[in-house]
């Protein structure tokens, strides 16, 4: 199986995991709890714009220029850990002061382990893609999915219900299992402060416009949900996010293309220059356009069936 097939399968598993956990949450949580965890998941995808823009996305592009790839990965992991510590301190202050009634819905440890697991998972997955380990990443995704579902089943009480903490714990264990399976691709080294400063600067130069673009894109994508959260009950928020998640499945193919094409084009640019990439762009966009036409055709002809599903 080639890397393009693995990339597509990998992205289907990754997006399918989030979609499956939304379904499980809808079936096993109360309406209010499901609305709350829906908003929590949206926010948890908005906050990581910082590490994605300044750490994981620069890795996808800049790693091909690094002479010592292990040293590069390790020091980017240090930057990620620094970000996670800062975020957890901020969240601790927010939680202790009970902003947004957080203490009513979930415990501090469940959010901490969930967010830590999610960010480390995203980082390790990019390392796997850069190293061309698409097959291994796919197997790790399968382990993540199966283990999280097993934890959900194990935590069910006699009434076949769960709470938010248990859902977050199940997802976090899935993410951390991916890390444990794949962590051998990170080599522990001594911290070189001058090198750490260099890659921090390089990542900033690369990521500042990516950060602005991603921030605007995410706010635009979730704008109406954020507005609705101030006006509607949590149960309605859960229903809105369910529909949004279903529509979001259409991005699976394009995320898979990102995971495959970005490292490929970065290497092609370094080896052969800009003209080699330009010759490939138009055929790729034509194929992407064909996929879009197919997806929108499904939406046009089968809207009720899709929303019913």
């Amino acid at each position: 199986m080639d890397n393009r097939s693995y990339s597509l399968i990998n992205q289907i598993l990754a997006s399918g995991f989030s979609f499956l956990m939304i379904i499980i949450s809808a079936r096993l949580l109360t309406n209010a709890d499901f609305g709350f965890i829906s908003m929590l998941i949206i926010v948890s995808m908005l906050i990581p714009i910082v590490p994605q823009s300044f750490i994981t996305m620069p890795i996808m592009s800049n790693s091909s220029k690094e002479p010592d790839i292990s040293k590069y990965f390790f020091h980017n992991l240090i930057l990620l850990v620094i970000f996670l510590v800062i975020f957890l301190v901020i969240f601790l202050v927010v939680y202790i002061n009970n902003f947004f009634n957080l203490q009513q819905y979930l415990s501090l440890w469940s959010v901490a382990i969930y967010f830590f697991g999610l960010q480390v998972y995203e980082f390790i997955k990019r390392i796997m893609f850069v190293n061309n380990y698409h097959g291994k990443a796919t197997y790790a995704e399968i382990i993540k999915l199966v283990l999280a579902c097993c934890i959900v089943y194990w935590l069910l009480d006699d009434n076949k219900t769960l709470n938010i903490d248990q859902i977050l714990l199940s997802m976090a264990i899935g993410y951390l299992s991916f890390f444990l399976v794949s962590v051998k691709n990170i080599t522990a080294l001594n911290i070189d402060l001058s090198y750490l400063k260099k890659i921090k600067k390089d990542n900033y130069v690369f990521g500042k416009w990516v950060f602005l673009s991603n921030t605007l894109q995410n706010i635009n994508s979730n704008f109406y949900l954020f507005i609705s959260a101030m006006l509607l009950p949590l149960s309605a928020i859960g229903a809105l996010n369910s529909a949004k998640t279903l529509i979001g499945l259409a991005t699976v193919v394009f995320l898979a293309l990102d995971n495959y094409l970005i490292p490929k084009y970065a290497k092609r640019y370094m080896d052969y220059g800009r003209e080699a990439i330009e010759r490939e762009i138009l055929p790729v966009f034509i194929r992407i356009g064909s996929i879009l036409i197919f997806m929108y055709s499904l939406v046009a002809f089968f809207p009720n069936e899709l929303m019913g599903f």
Side-chain angles (χ1 to χ4, degrees), residues 144-195:
K144 181 192 77 173
L145 177 64
V146 172
L147 183 59
C149 291
C150 290
I151 296 297
V152 166
Y153 180 78
W154 181 63
L155 291 175
L156 285 174
D157 59 22
D158 294 336
N159 296 322
K160 304 297 181 182
T161 60
L162 291 176
N163 57 41
I164 294 179
D165 286 337
Q166 292 169 324
I167 292 287
L168 292 177
L169 177 63
S170 301
M171 297 175 70
I173 290 176
Y175 289 132
L176 292 174
S177 70
F178 188 100
F179 168 73
L180 293 176
V181 171
S182 312
V183 70
K184 59 185 177 182
N185 295 285
I186 296 289
T187 302
L189 301 167
N190 293 326
I191 299 177
D192 185 339
L193 293 180
S194 61
Y195 183 71

Side-chain angles (χ1 to χ4, degrees), residues 32-74:
D33 282 352
F34 176 60
F36 184 86
I37 199 172
S38 296
M39 289 303 301
L40 180 65
I41 291 174
I42 291 174
V43 172
S44 72
M45 300 307 293
L46 183 63
I47 293 173
I49 290 175
V50 176
Q52 287 172 4
S53 301
F54 294 108
I55 300 175
T56 55
M57 293 187 72
I59 283 175
M60 300 289 284
S61 178
N62 295 339
S63 58
S64 59
K65 299 181 290 186
E66 292 294 326
D68 189 342
I69 197 69
S70 296
K71 183 178 181 180
Y72 179 70
F73 289 156
F74 176 72

Side-chain angles (χ1 to χ4, degrees), residues 151-287:
I151 296 297
V152 166
Y153 180 78
W154 181 63
L155 291 175
L156 285 174
D157 59 22
D158 294 336
N159 296 322
K160 304 297 181 182
T161 60
L162 291 176
N163 57 41
I164 294 179
D165 286 337
Q166 292 169 324
I167 292 287
L168 292 177
L169 177 63
S170 301
M171 297 175 70
I173 290 176
Y175 289 132
L176 292 174
S177 70
F178 188 100
F179 168 73
L180 293 176
V181 171
S182 312
V183 70
K184 59 185 177 182
N185 295 285
I186 296 289
T187 302
L189 301 167
N190 293 326
I191 299 177
D192 185 339
L193 293 180
S194 61
Y195 183 71
L196 185 66
K197 184 177 180 180
K198 172 187 175 298
I199 63 170
K200 182 182 72 173
K201 181 179 178 180
D202 291 344
N203 288 1
Y204 172 76
V205 171
F206 179 94
K208 57 185 179 182
W209 299 115
V210 176
F211 170 75
L212 179 60
S213 174
N214 286 348
T215 301
L216 293 175
Q217 181 180 349
N218 275 271
I219 291 175
N220 179 63
S221 299
N222 298 301
F223 177 77
Y224 288 105
L225 276 177
F226 291 137
I227 296 299
S228 300
M230 295 185 289
L231 303 173
L232 299 175
L234 286 174
S235 56
I237 301 303
L240 285 173
N241 193 47
S242 295
K244 181 178 179 296
T245 302
L246 179 60
I247 296 171
L249 286 177
T251 65
V252 169
V253 174
F254 303 108
L255 289 174
L257 287 173
D258 279 346
N259 293 332
Y260 173 74
L261 290 177
I262 291 177
K264 175 186 174 182
Y265 283 165
K267 187 176 187 305
R268 183 67 60 88
Y269 177 78
M270 294 300 298
D271 292 341
Y272 303 106
R274 178 176 175 177
E275 292 182 359
I277 295 179
E278 290 178 343
R279 287 194 298 269
E280 298 184 15
I281 291 297
L282 183 58
V284 170
F285 278 143
I286 290 175
R287 296 189 186 100

